[in-house]
Amino acid sequence: MLKEKYEKIFYIMLTVVILMTFVSCEHSDVKPVQQVNTIWVSENPDIFFTVTEKDELKGYNICYGILKTSEKNYNISMEFGYGFDSRVNITDYDILKKNNFIYKLEAILIRADCKFSEKKCTLKVTESSIDGIEVDNKITFEKVDELPDWATEAVEATVES
């Protein structure tokens, strides 16, 4: 009788674990990567990205943008974690492209943990190779309707080069 009770509890817990595994595979709707055709901007430091339609090869939405420093502008790709994974990598898109999109550590500019809401995304930096962006810095992106002037100028400069 006691053995049957423990078996029942075991199977209930196993079912819960399996269900949680399936749920964790779902993407959160508030993550910026799930909000197609949106623009996200941070003013300190100057970073923006846009969320594009699903990439056919990768099978998920892509986030491209620019990280502006005093030395240069980086073309970036924002790579958000899946499911309950609240991490993000900001990678140098030009290095990824040069390496035929083979992921190498040299392409990672910033790694961070994120907190999401529908209109705001706050990053807490865990690693950075960018001067002026340090571990534990917070970077806050807000969803906007159009790019600020500095971002428009950065895009124009990238197109011209």
Side-chain angles (χ1 to χ4, degrees):
M1 181 83 154
L2 190 58
K3 183 180 176 188
E4 290 175 10
K5 187 175 184 178
Y6 283 120
E7 279 185 29
K8 189 174 186 177
I9 291 171
F10 171 78
Y11 286 114
I12 290 171
M13 290 183 69
L14 182 62
T15 303
V16 169
V17 169
I18 290 170
L19 287 173
M20 290 301 292
T21 301
F22 285 120
V23 170
S24 70
C25 293
E26 295 298 314
H27 302 296
S28 170
D29 289 339
V30 287
K31 282 186 180 180
V33 72
Q34 293 302 336
Q35 299 183 47
V36 177
N37 298 324
T38 56
I39 302 169
W40 297 79
V41 176
S42 166
E43 296 289 342
N44 186 19
D46 289 340
I47 307 173
F48 82 89
F49 66 93
T50 59
V51 183
T52 64
E53 291 286 341
K54 201 175 270 191
D55 182 279
E56 293 295 323
L57 295 174
K58 294 184 178 184
Y60 53 86
N61 299 337
I62 305 295
C63 303
Y64 294 123
I66 293 177
L67 184 156
K68 181 180 174 186
T69 68
S70 57
E71 294 84 38
K72 75 180 260 185
N73 291 343
Y74 295 89
N75 293 313
I76 61 167
S77 172
M78 301 281 290
E79 299 167 2
F80 290 90
Y82 294 100
F84 292 120
D85 184 355
S86 62
R87 293 173 291 186
V88 66
N89 289 335
I90 301 176
T91 57
D92 186 324
Y93 182 80
D94 295 330
I95 290 176
L96 288 174
K97 189 175 176 182
K98 182 180 90 176
N99 292 327
N100 294 317
F101 298 96
I102 295 171
Y103 205 85
K104 294 187 178 181
L105 291 178
E106 69 184 86
I108 299 173
L109 301 174
I110 298 170
R111 283 187 169 162
D113 293 322
C114 302
K115 290 187 179 178
F116 310 101
S117 69
E118 189 176 338
K119 296 182 179 190
K120 194 176 189 179
C121 173
T122 303
L123 280 56
K124 183 177 180 186
V125 177
T126 57
E127 293 178 36
S128 175
S129 62
I130 301 294
D131 290 337
I133 300 176
E134 306 295 327
V135 171
D136 292 330
N137 282 167
K138 290 201 172 160
I139 302 171
T140 301
F141 290 93
E142 294 192 16
K143 185 165 59 170
V144 297
D145 294 327
E146 59 185 47
L147 290 174
D149 291 341
W150 69 263
T152 303
E153 291 168 9
V155 169
E156 289 170 358
T158 300
V159 170
E160 290 172 3
S161 60

